[in-house]
Amino acid sequence: AKQGGRGSHAFFVPELDAVARRRVHLEEGLRLAILRDELSIAVQAQWTPSGQLQAGEVLVRWLKGPDGNPVSPGEFIPVAESSGLIKPLTLLVFSKALDLAAELQALELDIPLSVNFSTELFRDESIINGVLELLDESGVAADRVVLEITESLLIDTQPWVQDNMARLAARGLSFSLDDFGTGYSNLAYLKRMHLSELKIDKRFVDNLPGDEDNRTIVRSILSIARQFKLRVVAEGVETEEQMAFLASHGCDLLQGYLLHKPEPAEAWVAKLSRQKN
Ligand code: C2E
Ligand code: CA
Ligand code: CA
Ligand code: CA
């Protein structure tokens, strides 16, 4: 611990050290994991209210972290975002997602895949070029891929951010607005951008249908989406009651543990292939 600082801070130093050490540890581990191709992807399926498999979200997995244990994306994605590792990480995840999309295409399964794209990526043209190159090389149809973005991207005023988004859209990629309603309330951007979908964050799905505030928020999101002609996916659906409420209010797609827990991509596609035969 740091010595000679003001006495009032000394108490907190060991704890800060532990947090900082964990961060450095994770960053170093993640750098190696990317180099050694030790990250993998899981998929969580999205369903129509009538129970038809319609699409899937790709989620990165780090199964063997620095201590040999899995590390959750909730912990390592922020580290990746603040260290620049999000760029190679996303290209790796995107390339795995394209491999999976190609397998689905070969099985003649019409299941678009969503991939999470952090806002930082759009500030860097080389990443956009990388994404477009991977897409070209893969032979996957652009309409089989959806990029999940957050509201912070849409309000980013740096001109090249919008240009980069437009380049991806021009190639046929579409965008889904993740965690809708948790950021900024200005709706002007909804029609500006190349959005095809809104995702209702889990926090609004929790406590449905009992919680009046969440009922109102979800109904508002569905009404906004209808006016802007956007598809709506609700995430974090864990109960039959939530599903019934969302279905009866016109939510297009449902995603959550009730219907499907994220599953390693290979296992998922193998299962779909068996079901087909
Ligand atoms: P997200 O994009 O909001 O993804 C949904 C998260 O909710 C996933 O957590 C998923 O496993 C979890 N989830 C889905 N259904 C349920 C449910 O019914 N109940 C509960 N309790 N949880 C549910 P996960 O996989 O841990 O990912 C956490 C976050 O990390 C994601 O949140 C996303 O923001 C980020 N993330 C994951 N993969 C990537 C990636 O490849 N790139 C980037 N940039 N971010 C990623
Ligand atoms: Ca997401
Ligand atoms: Ca989400
Ligand atoms: Ca979420």
Side-chain angles (χ1 to χ4, degrees):
K2 198 169 74 184
Q3 299 294 317
R6 275 179 295 164
S8 61
H9 289 164
F11 177 77
F12 298 96
V13 167
E15 209 181 320
L16 284 174
D17 270 4
V19 171
R21 268 201 307 274
R22 170 85 178 153
R23 244 205 78 95
V24 171
H25 205 46
L26 283 179
E27 188 180 324
E28 284 169 355
L30 191 56
R31 195 179 306 276
L32 280 176
I34 293 168
L35 274 173
R36 296 173 180 163
D37 195 15
E38 288 172 353
L39 299 179
S40 57
I41 56 168
V43 178
Q44 186 174 31
Q46 300 171 341
W47 312 77
T48 64
S50 59
Q52 206 190 333
L53 172 61
Q54 195 76 25
E57 178 176 4
V58 170
L59 297 158
V60 66
R61 291 292 177 259
W62 188 10
L63 299 177
K64 226 170 132 267
D67 311 321
N69 301 316
V71 186
S72 80
E75 187 175 15
F76 70 79
I77 290 292
V79 172
E81 288 175 340
S82 61
S83 64
L85 289 173
I86 192 67
K87 294 170 188 176
L89 181 151
T90 303
L91 289 177
L92 202 59
V93 168
F94 191 66
S95 125
K96 290 177 191 296
L98 289 172
D99 290 346
L100 178 61
E103 285 185 71
L104 295 172
Q105 206 165 268
L107 289 167
E108 292 176 350
L109 291 169
D110 183 16
I111 305 173
L113 297 174
S114 297
V115 184
N116 291 283
F117 265 58
S118 301
T119 297
E120 290 87 291
L121 300 166
F122 292 83
R123 307 206 171 103
D124 185 342
E125 203 171 23
S126 71
I127 298 303
I128 307 301
N129 295 338
V131 164
L132 291 172
E133 268 166 37
L134 285 173
L135 181 64
D136 287 342
E137 287 163 10
S138 72
V140 169
D143 66 359
R144 303 294 78 192
V145 185
V146 177
L147 306 185
E148 291 197 11
I149 58 167
T150 58
E151 285 166 282
S152 62
L153 177 63
L154 300 182
I155 58 151
D156 199 311
T157 52
Q158 291 176 295
W160 51 88
V161 167
Q162 306 300 328
D163 290 351
N164 283 335
M165 207 176 164
R167 277 184 66 205
L168 296 171
R171 179 64 178 74
L173 293 166
S174 60
F175 295 95
S176 168
L177 190 51
D178 204 359
D179 303 337
F180 181 66
T182 62
Y184 300 83
S185 54
N186 182 355
L187 298 177
Y189 53 68
L190 280 185
K191 61 172 186 241
R192 265 214 326 261
M193 306 319 301
H194 312 271
L195 293 176
S196 57
E197 179 181 284
L198 297 181
K199 291 189 83 170
I200 305 179
D201 193 64
K202 178 179 179 301
R203 82 183 72 170
F204 303 129
V205 173
D206 287 346
N207 308 320
L208 278 183
D211 185 272
E212 194 186 337
D213 288 345
N214 280 359
R215 275 204 308 274
T216 307
I217 290 166
V218 167
R219 274 199 299 259
S220 307
I221 292 175
L222 289 165
S223 142
I224 289 164
R226 260 192 296 278
Q227 290 167 54
F228 286 96
K229 299 192 168 58
L230 299 168
R231 179 172 70 233
V232 182
V233 182
E235 70 175 22
V237 179
E238 293 183 344
T239 70
E240 299 281 353
E241 291 74 22
Q242 291 167 347
M243 185 162 93
F245 179 89
L246 290 159
S248 70
H249 288 83
C251 187
D252 302 286
L253 296 178
L254 308 168
Q255 179 182 348
Y257 291 175
L258 177 68
L259 298 152
H260 186 219
K261 285 203 174 163
E263 177 177 15
E266 310 90 76
W268 182 66
V269 75
K271 187 174 73 186
L272 293 182
S273 162
R274 280 196 305 274
Q275 284 168 1
K276 241 198 133 221
N277 298 316

